[in-house]
Amino acid sequence: MTPKPTLARLAADLAAGRTTSRDLVEAALARIADPAGEGKRVFVKVYAETARAAADAQDRLRAAGYAASPLAGLPVSIKDLFDVAGDVTLAGSKALDDASPAKADAPIVARLKAAGAVIVGRTNMTEFAFSGVGINPHYGTPGNPFSRSLIPGGSSAGAPVSVADGMAAVAIGTDTGGSVRIPAALCGLVGFKPTQYRVPRDGATPLSTTLDSIGPIGVSVGCCALTDAVMAGEAAALPAPMSPDGLRIGIPQTIMLDDLEAPVAVAFRRAVSALARAGAKIIELPLEMLGELPRINLKGGLPVIEAFAWHEKLIERRGQDYDPRIRTRIARGCEMTAAEYIRLVEARGDFIRRFDAEADTFDALLMPTVPMTAPPIAAFARDEDYARLNLKLLRNTAIINFLDRCALTLPIEQPGTAPVGLMVVGRHGQDRQLLAIGMGIEEKLTTEAWRQ
């Protein structure tokens, strides 16, 4: 894939008069409308006229000396579970088509608009965000930009394709068990999952109120850092990159490295070796406690019971309109008692405390984002294969949501090969530090990793 310009590059082009917001938005809309492209599967709704009007407004403001942020005038896509005033929020489903239109923009949408971002449309997703695969039987499945026969990853399925195919400069997704990082990794992009409290989740259709978080997908760590800052209500500025030299980086040995596909294992080893050559102190961490998670989440974990609480009445009324695979997963929530839910929440708190005691002396943790490259869409035809592959896609990323840590995925594949993601995990609440570390790692891997 041809490298796409970063947000910083696009902002510089706008500032220098080399392009206009209207030109950028028209180019994005043309790619969305291209009948030979993925636009009809990537977007469930396109805001063509309002995007053009917003672009023109940003061009007039810039001509008068006003640019609200580095995102001002740039085309941005949003996942189809965020409220936009006047729209019905479908969350990738048909079951909500009789719901009332949203009365107000979700806070993250309002913040993006205030920063001058031009919302070009709503991206397709796994129905109700409940899968790491990205298949949607209602609106189609966007093809992976590396090969259209492969899954894009989910649940933010359309988000990475919108960026990779030039339909948006950056995309906004959600991440409950990996739904930003998985599709970013499988599509060769950067994705960021913040500590949950950092970005307000009001106005977003929930999956798990305990685990949901909102994050960007872009072409660089800097793109994610700028967009995250806007959504968090902070000044849109880049942190200073932190060199890997001297960083203490831990590599968890339990679960995270199990059953890696060969291309993932090779790319991961190469990336770790490059960081070691750059002066990072690489330390293997047993972290045997990670092996407890299957027992803790035996009945499906927090997403199942919390999704069931939200969906119970809707399934009674419109269950026939759900993707049967999604409805079946949600219905498992009725098997968990209130007492079991309370014990699960308590077990999570204890697990986080014990994990922090073992891992908090490290500046970051490293692991493959996903243990495989993107499988073919056809591999998910049978329900049993869908369930098995979905669990494997979610395996590494979901652990980080359970821990409520911040995490990045960066592409580490060699040019011309299937995308592979490197997950860089930071401490709870230290999001900007993680982004600074990620920028340093990105710079080092870009300049050196594939020379050896």
Side-chain angles (χ1 to χ4, degrees):
M1 292 182 290
T2 303
K4 302 296 179 184
T6 63
L7 298 187
R9 169 66 183 277
L10 291 171
D13 287 346
L14 285 169
R18 290 187 290 267
T19 189
T20 65
S21 176
R22 181 62 181 260
D23 287 343
L24 294 175
V25 168
E26 287 291 359
L29 293 174
R31 291 186 178 97
I32 294 170
D34 181 358
E38 291 296 299
K40 59 184 175 295
R41 286 175 288 274
V42 168
F43 284 88
V44 297
K45 184 166 186 177
V46 181
Y47 299 121
E49 293 311 309
T50 55
R52 291 185 174 105
D56 290 343
Q58 289 301 317
D59 285 334
R60 289 192 296 271
L61 284 168
R62 191 176 295 275
Y66 293 90
S69 81
L71 272 66
L74 301 184
V76 175
S77 69
I78 59 172
K79 190 173 181 177
D80 187 40
L81 51 59
F82 294 114
D83 285 350
V84 173
D87 273 5
V88 174
T89 305
L90 295 174
S93 182
K94 298 288 190 182
L96 291 174
D97 58 13
D98 58 354
S100 299
K103 294 181 179 179
D105 290 341
I108 66 105
V109 174
R111 287 176 177 180
L112 287 166
K113 289 181 177 179
V118 177
I119 310 298
V120 292
R122 308 171 69 94
T123 52
N124 197 358
M125 56 181 283
T126 303
E127 185 178 41
F128 294 119
F130 211 172
S131 159
V133 176
I135 290 174
N136 187 306
H138 309 302
Y139 302 105
T141 299
N144 190 300
F146 178 73
S147 171
R148 299 304 183 188
S149 65
L150 307 179
I151 63 164
S155 63
S156 306
V161 185
S162 75
V163 175
D165 285 13
M167 303 171 187
V170 71
I172 312 302
T174 59
D175 193 309
T176 304
S179 290
V180 160
R181 289 160 293 155
I182 293 168
L186 297 186
C187 293
L189 294 168
V190 178
F192 176 58
K193 172 231 171 298
T195 308
Q196 192 198 37
Y197 71 79
R198 178 170 174 77
V199 177
R201 291 165 290 119
D202 310 88
T205 305
L207 173 57
S208 166
T209 53
T210 300
L211 303 178
D212 294 343
S213 57
I214 296 171
I217 296 175
V219 301
S220 72
V221 178
C223 294
C224 290
L226 290 171
T227 309
D228 165 77
V230 166
M231 293 194 295
E234 299 177 355
L238 291 174
M242 291 179 63
S243 169
D245 189 12
L247 292 181
R248 283 174 52 83
I249 296 179
I251 301 181
Q253 302 298 295
T254 302
I255 293 181
M256 299 292 198
L257 304 181
D258 292 350
D259 301 321
L260 301 181
E261 282 190 359
V264 176
V266 170
F268 182 69
R269 285 196 301 268
R270 291 169 66 91
V272 171
S273 295
L275 295 176
R277 288 194 299 271
K281 299 176 181 177
I282 306 295
I283 301 165
E284 294 182 352
L285 286 175
L287 285 174
E288 294 174 357
M289 60 177 294
L290 294 177
E292 301 172 18
L293 279 173
R295 175 184 57 79
I296 293 173
N297 290 312
L298 184 61
K299 288 196 171 182
L302 292 163
V304 166
I305 182 62
E306 292 179 346
F308 182 74
W310 193 90
H311 284 271
E312 183 178 14
K313 298 301 181 183
L314 183 61
I315 288 176
E316 289 177 1
R317 187 171 63 86
R318 297 288 302 270
Q320 72 279 4
D321 296 313
Y322 278 59
D323 175 352
R325 289 168 166 171
I326 302 303
R327 185 182 65 236
T328 299
R329 292 190 73 198
I330 293 172
R332 285 189 63 197
C334 69
E335 301 170 6
M336 189 180 296
T337 67
E340 287 171 328
Y341 176 67
I342 291 170
R343 286 195 291 270
L344 174 57
V345 172
E346 291 173 344
R348 182 189 185 223
D350 176 67
F351 189 87
I352 290 172
R353 286 188 292 272
R354 290 188 290 124
F355 186 93
D356 287 350
E358 292 196 43
D360 261 9
T361 60
F362 293 86
D363 297 298
L365 305 177
L366 288 186
M367 61 215 70
T369 308
V370 184
M372 67 179 86
T373 57
I377 296 170
F380 295 84
R382 299 191 310 167
D383 288 349
E384 56 266 38
D385 291 330
Y386 183 101
R388 173 180 56 82
L389 291 169
N390 181 52
L391 284 175
K392 191 168 184 179
L393 287 165
L394 290 161
R395 188 193 71 193
N396 287 6
T397 53
I399 292 172
I400 308 307
N401 295 81
F402 194 77
L403 293 165
D404 195 17
R405 289 189 166 225
C406 49
L408 275 165
T409 181
L410 296 84
I412 56 170
E413 68 276 4
Q414 295 186 69
T417 63
V420 174
L422 174 72
M423 186 156 57
V424 189
V425 179
R427 300 185 187 96
H428 175 93
Q430 296 192 11
D431 299 59
R432 297 307 280 181
Q433 178 173 309
L434 173 66
L435 288 161
I437 291 171
M439 290 175 69
I441 290 176
E442 178 183 59
E443 182 178 288
K444 179 54 62 176
L445 295 183
T446 300
T447 57
E448 188 207 341
W450 315 129
R451 294 181 182 175
Q452 302 296 322

